[in-house]
């Protein structure tokens, strides 16, 4: 089983987990980290390292909300210091739900990240444009 850490600004990670649990039920393999204005980068890094300690890094994927944001930067620093989890930025609900529903038992973490990335991008739909074209459902 792959483990996941959601690392975001504020309480967004915790809310993503709560929202996903509304849809799929209780989730055991997700930990959450929230970077707040009251938390220094050093404190944030220590907190993330403690979360990572509880995982098998070969099967860990960290999802962040914003490339270049504080959570993503801390995770990038951890990779540069020798950690070896997979890091993917751009967390959205379709991406997270794919992680929770896909059969990833025979996938490497890199293969799973590729699938998650595709699901995240596919979840972005210009509904206004679809309506303008007169398309009510998927093309």
């Amino acid at each position: 089983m792959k483990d996941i850490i959601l690392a975001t600004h504020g309480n967004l990670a915790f809310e993503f987990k709560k929202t996903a649990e509304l849809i799929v039920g209780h989730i055991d393999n997700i930990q959450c980290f929230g970077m707040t204005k009251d938390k220094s980068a050093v404190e944030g890094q220590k907190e993330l390292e403690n979360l990572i300690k509880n995982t098998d890094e070969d099967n860990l994927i960290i999802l962040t909300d914003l490339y270049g944001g504080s959570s993503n930067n801390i995770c990038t620093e951890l990779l540069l210091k020798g950690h070896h989890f997979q890091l993917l930025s751009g967390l959205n609900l379709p991406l997270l739900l794919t992680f929770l529903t896909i059969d990833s038992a025979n996938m490497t973490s890199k293969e799973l990240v590729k699938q998650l990335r595709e699901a995240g991008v596919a979840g972005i739909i210009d509904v206004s444009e679809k309506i303008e074209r007169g398309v009510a459902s998927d093309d």
Side-chain angles (χ1 to χ4, degrees):
M1 176 190 293
K2 307 289 188 277
D3 289 314
I4 198 161
I5 295 174
L6 305 178
T8 65
H9 291 85
N11 292 318
L12 187 58
F14 301 92
E15 295 303 323
F16 261 109
K17 182 178 179 184
K18 282 186 206 174
T19 301
E21 287 182 326
L22 283 172
I23 297 168
V24 301
H26 180 72
I27 304 166
D28 287 325
N29 58 332
I30 291 183
Q31 299 182 80
C32 297
F33 168 82
M35 189 65 185
T36 64
K37 64 181 180 176
D38 299 326
K39 191 180 296 182
S40 72
V42 171
E43 292 170 322
Q45 184 171 333
K46 285 180 185 176
E47 187 178 332
L48 271 167
E49 285 181 310
N50 283 332
L51 293 175
I52 292 168
K53 281 182 195 176
N54 298 323
T55 69
D56 167 13
E57 285 192 51
D58 291 329
N59 289 306
L60 173 62
I61 298 170
I62 298 182
L63 302 176
T64 66
D65 56 346
L66 182 65
Y67 179 74
S70 53
S71 298
N72 187 263
N73 289 345
I74 291 169
C75 293
T76 301
E77 286 179 32
L78 292 173
L79 284 174
L80 292 171
K81 288 182 177 181
H83 285 275
H84 55 274
F85 53 82
Q86 295 295 306
L87 178 60
L88 183 61
S89 179
L91 173 61
N92 64 30
L93 194 55
L95 183 157
L96 182 56
L97 292 174
T98 297
F99 171 79
L100 296 170
T101 58
I102 196 169
D103 181 5
S104 63
N106 294 319
M107 287 183 181
T108 66
S109 291
K110 282 188 178 194
E111 291 168 333
L112 179 56
V113 164
K114 183 177 186 276
Q115 294 254 344
L116 296 179
R117 189 172 147 217
E118 290 170 2
V121 171
I124 300 170
I125 308 292
D126 184 345
V127 177
S128 297
E129 189 267 339
K130 284 176 122 351
I131 289 171
E132 287 171 8
R133 286 193 348 232
V135 179
S137 62
D138 292 335
D139 296 329

